[in-house]
Amino acid sequence: MEYIQAIIDLIAQYEQQNTLNLIYLVILMIFVGVELISHVPSVLHTPLMSGANAIHGVVLIGAIIVMGNASPDDTLSLVFGTLAVFVGTLNVIGGFVVTDRMLEMFKKKPKGEKES
Amino acid sequence: MMPYMEIGYLVGSVSFVVGLKMMGQPDSARKGNLVAAFGMAIAVIAALFFTSKGFHVISNLQYIVAAIVAGTVIGTLMAKRVQMTAMPEMVSLFNGMGGLSAALISIIEWRHLLHTVDNPEAMGQAAALPMGMYIPIMAGLIIGTISFVGSIVAWGKLNGSIGDFRFPSQQIINAVVLVAILGVAYINYGEFNASHSSLYFFVTIGLAVVYGLLFVFPIGGADMPVVISLLNSFTGVAAACGGFLYQNKVMLMGGVLVGSAGTILTVVMCKAMNRSLMNVLIGMAGGNGGGSSTSASGGSVREVQATDVAIMMKYASKVIIVPGYGLAVAQAQHVCHELENLLEAEGVDVKYAIHPVAGRMPGHMNVLLAESNVDYDKLIEMEHINPEFATTDVVLVVGANDVVNPAAKTDPTSPIYGMPILDVDQAKQIIVLKRSMKAGYAGIENELFFHPKCGMLFGDAKASLQKLVNEVKAL
């Protein structure tokens, strides 16, 4: 009973925070993700992994928000936050550039066909 | 007043979906990547300069911009400089950075939360830790830490700086650690007000680090791409936790999208190798059997000289090259292309047979060979090339092993039984370039090498191919 009450409380809490909408969003996005990847030729698996890797760099937004909330005299938060922004940016930029380099290789295909 | 922040996040979210969709087709893949990158830029600008109330430059902008500039410069340099063969480890490293970022966010938010709860008047109500915030913080922390540590280990393994490491009943220990993480995180929730609550928090971090290590250590270096793909989806989930915490839809959508797409991608990759995800995670391949079943097959291996192979190929009418991991390790793609050009000049029909999991990641060979300007039309996928082997004079296997192992068809006890292979034994002559008789990553012997039609040319793939090029030129 106690646990059920806890779960009900949690859902109520989420509802208050408007988080329930987010849960719908999560479920829909899971389906979108599955749909997007299911019919992809194996040649593209690696670039896709790399591209998805860059997209989860969106955690950078969180790092920026955290920095925005940190008070200027909270040194530890500022240091950690700056580090979080830095590594988040590495994830985003590095991810997109590596993916682009991989896909650049594939782009030669139409050119090669024309030349030969 | 326009809701610029929401619009920015919306553009970001949509572009992630569209970008990922476009990346699923060869023609639009590169544009898709740019679309996603563009969406990311818009979302970052929205976060920096707007709140839900309108234009508002974020506090501590100087530190944020400094970190972004530094990250951009270093990230670009790293990504531009990395060798094509080292791509998987680079992806792993960047993935780890995302995990670290998520973990750091959670640590700061945890301190923030403690601080708020310590001052009940600031909270306005009783000093209870809001579960709705606690769960995403801890989940982001735990998953982010596991992803970070695991990715670094995966990176080290692909580098060759970390070896495989197994010990008995590892799976049970891993499960115990995982349960312990959840348990301690739960205790931490109950004890948050006590003075030692932080201790449980740190124990949670410590256990997550241990789990990250244990999770990746037993998995063979060859299976790393599957693990990286899995850790990739972990980081996605960690980012989604941040989305819950801040009610931020772009983080949530991006994170969940990667979480689910990454999981499916992992499963698809495993399927291409005809193995289950469990089998990969337990680290079966290479660990057991060690060829005890087939090593008795005996027979002798015929070693051949580069000169003979060169003659054989020069006067052949059709040659198929089967590239594998050995080619990637030796960076032999350029020499390989040179050999192909020489043979073509002699009127030989040269093609490449690409097994879906040749190399260490799907598409690895395509990327490598494309880098050395091999014509895309010459890269033939397995289903289309298999009927051609019967009319082929010479098959040149360059550092591939398991993907040409007939045991996959003939030996039901073999760990790779059932995996589709390239039917190289149909060809008139088979030449295998290999460093030694060592088994491939499945840890099993390859009967093909004992086949009467098969000749072995031992040595580093690049050196051997160079020899062949010189010999063909000299003829």
Side-chain angles (χ1 to χ4, degrees):
Chain A
M1 260 332 269
E2 207 181 309
Y3 286 102
I4 297 171
Q5 190 56 47
I7 292 169
I8 292 171
D9 287 350
L10 186 62
I11 292 177
Q13 217 175 59
Y14 274 144
E15 204 169 35
Q16 257 176 17
Q17 301 168 357
N18 204 15
T19 306
L20 221 46
N21 286 342
L22 299 187
I23 293 175
Y24 285 106
L25 203 58
V26 167
I27 294 165
L28 286 174
M29 286 315 277
I30 289 174
F31 282 107
V32 171
V34 170
E35 232 8 76
L36 286 180
I37 300 297
S38 295
H39 313 286
V40 167
S42 68
V43 184
L44 283 173
H45 284 170
T46 302
L48 256 180
M49 175 170 91
S50 178
N53 176 41
I55 290 176
H56 70 49
V58 74
V59 71
L60 170 62
I61 305 279
I64 291 172
I65 295 174
V66 131
M67 279 300 280
N69 292 340
S71 81
D73 36 78
D74 184 356
T75 318
L76 193 62
S77 285
L78 283 181
V79 171
F80 276 22
T82 308
L83 187 60
V85 173
F86 171 67
V87 292
T89 312
L90 271 187
N91 185 180
V92 171
I93 300 290
F96 281 125
V97 174
V98 161
T99 313
D100 190 59
R101 274 191 63 195
M102 284 184 196
L103 292 171
E104 196 181 8
M105 306 289 161
F106 289 97
K107 232 199 148 189
K108 281 180 184 160
K109 172 184 145 193
K111 260 192 222 161
E113 273 171 359
K114 271 176 216 158
E115 281 164 18
S116 60
Chain B
M1 181 195 74
M2 286 284 284
Y4 290 112
M5 186 187 79
E6 279 78 5
I7 293 174
Y9 287 166
L10 184 65
V11 171
S13 308
V14 172
S15 72
F16 292 162
V17 177
V18 174
L20 207 57
K21 171 77 190 158
M22 289 170 77
M23 268 188 261
Q25 282 141 6
D27 303 333
S28 58
R30 199 173 178 200
K31 262 187 215 147
N33 186 47
L34 291 179
V35 167
F38 167 78
M40 186 72 77
I42 297 287
V44 168
I45 290 169
L48 282 178
F49 298 111
F50 297 95
T51 65
S52 50
K53 293 191 180 64
F55 182 79
H56 171 79
V57 176
I58 200 163
S59 356
N60 303 313
L61 185 69
Q62 69 278 25
Y63 300 114
I64 301 176
V65 169
I68 289 181
V69 169
T72 305
V73 172
I74 295 173
T76 311
L77 284 180
M78 283 165 84
K80 286 264 182 202
R81 284 203 181 155
V82 65
Q83 293 281 345
M84 266 297 155
T85 40
M87 278 310 181
E89 58 218 65
M90 202 77 242
V91 173
S92 179
L93 190 63
F94 289 140
N95 181 44
M97 292 301 112
L100 178 61
S101 187
L104 286 170
I105 292 171
S106 285
I107 292 174
I108 300 170
E109 284 301 329
W110 166 252
R111 292 183 67 244
H112 191 67
L113 193 63
L114 276 188
H115 196 68
T116 324
V117 177
D118 271 351
N119 305 299
E121 61 270 28
M123 279 290 284
Q125 48 168 311
L129 201 50
M131 197 65 148
M133 292 183 83
Y134 184 72
I135 291 176
I137 288 180
M138 290 311 272
L141 177 74
I142 295 166
I143 301 171
T145 307
I146 293 173
S147 180
F148 169 58
V149 175
S151 298
I152 297 301
V153 175
W155 174 68
K157 281 197 166 202
L158 285 169
N159 260 345
S161 49
I162 300 175
D164 292 359
F165 172 71
R166 292 188 182 87
F167 52 85
S169 59
Q170 183 143 17
Q171 292 313 303
I172 298 166
I173 293 170
N174 282 9
V176 169
V177 174
L178 194 57
V179 171
I181 291 175
L182 298 178
V184 174
Y186 185 74
I187 296 172
N188 186 35
Y189 177 73
E191 301 273 323
F192 82 97
N193 237 352
S195 55
H196 58 280
S197 71
S198 287
L199 181 66
Y200 288 109
F201 183 73
F202 292 121
V203 171
T204 311
I205 300 179
L207 284 173
V209 170
V210 170
Y211 187 78
L213 293 173
L214 291 180
F215 180 69
V216 183
F217 263 135
I219 302 170
D223 285 331
M224 276 308 125
V226 174
V227 178
I228 294 169
S229 177
L230 192 64
L231 291 172
N232 193 19
S233 67
F234 280 12
T235 313
V237 175
C241 291
F244 262 108
L245 188 59
Y246 299 121
Q247 310 275 307
N248 183 311
K249 295 197 180 65
V250 71
M251 283 179 77
L252 190 77
M253 288 178 73
V256 175
L257 187 65
V258 175
S260 88
T263 308
I264 292 299
L265 192 56
T266 312
V267 172
V268 173
M269 280 167 131
C270 287
K271 252 190 210 156
M273 295 193 288
N274 198 38
R275 293 173 62 192
S276 70
L277 183 57
M278 260 340 262
N279 181 279
V280 170
L281 292 184
I282 293 172
M284 287 268 291
N288 64 342
S292 55
S293 57
T294 49
S295 60
S297 68
S300 58
V301 171
R302 183 162 61 95
E303 200 177 337
V304 292
Q305 297 304 315
T307 330
D308 304 328
V309 179
I311 294 173
M312 208 188 285
M313 289 198 300
K314 186 173 175 178
Y315 297 106
S317 60
K318 188 169 173 187
V319 171
I320 294 181
I321 299 175
V322 179
Y325 188 54
L327 178 111
V329 170
Q331 294 273 350
Q333 64 271 31
H334 296 287
V335 200
C336 194
H337 182 50
E338 198 183 342
L339 180 66
E340 171 211 324
N341 281 344
L342 277 174
L343 291 173
E344 290 264 290
E346 300 285 342
V348 184
D349 180 16
V350 184
K351 282 178 181 157
Y352 292 86
I354 310 292
H355 190 278
V357 293
R360 286 301 184 253
M361 50 181 190
H364 196 178
M365 291 299 130
N366 303 63
V367 170
L368 268 187
L369 291 169
E371 189 200 7
S372 61
N373 288 323
V374 172
D375 195 340
Y376 198 86
D377 293 340
K378 290 198 170 296
L379 308 179
I380 318 284
E381 291 191 23
M382 183 172 62
E383 307 88 72
H384 302 294
I385 197 87
N386 265 345
E388 293 201 28
F389 281 112
T391 59
T392 301
D393 301 297
V394 182
V395 170
L396 193 66
V397 179
V398 186
N401 189 345
D402 296 325
V403 297
V404 294
N405 192 339
K409 282 188 165 171
T410 56
D411 179 7
T413 63
S414 169
I416 60 164
Y417 183 71
M419 181 172 89
I421 57 158
L422 295 163
D423 302 324
V424 292
D425 52 347
Q426 306 278 318
K428 295 194 184 82
Q429 289 284 342
I430 308 157
I431 302 298
V432 179
L433 304 191
K434 215 174 168 327
R435 269 180 296 192
S436 65
M437 282 303 288
K438 247 179 77 188
Y441 88 77
I444 47 171
E445 288 236 21
N446 195 336
E447 261 176 73
L448 180 77
F449 304 153
F450 302 99
H451 198 287
K453 283 196 285 193
C454 180
M456 306 290 292
L457 183 58
F458 289 113
D460 171 76
K462 192 175 181 179
S464 296
L465 283 171
Q466 191 61 56
K467 263 190 231 163
L468 288 177
V469 165
N470 296 342
E471 292 290 345
V472 171
K473 271 186 190 161
L475 279 172

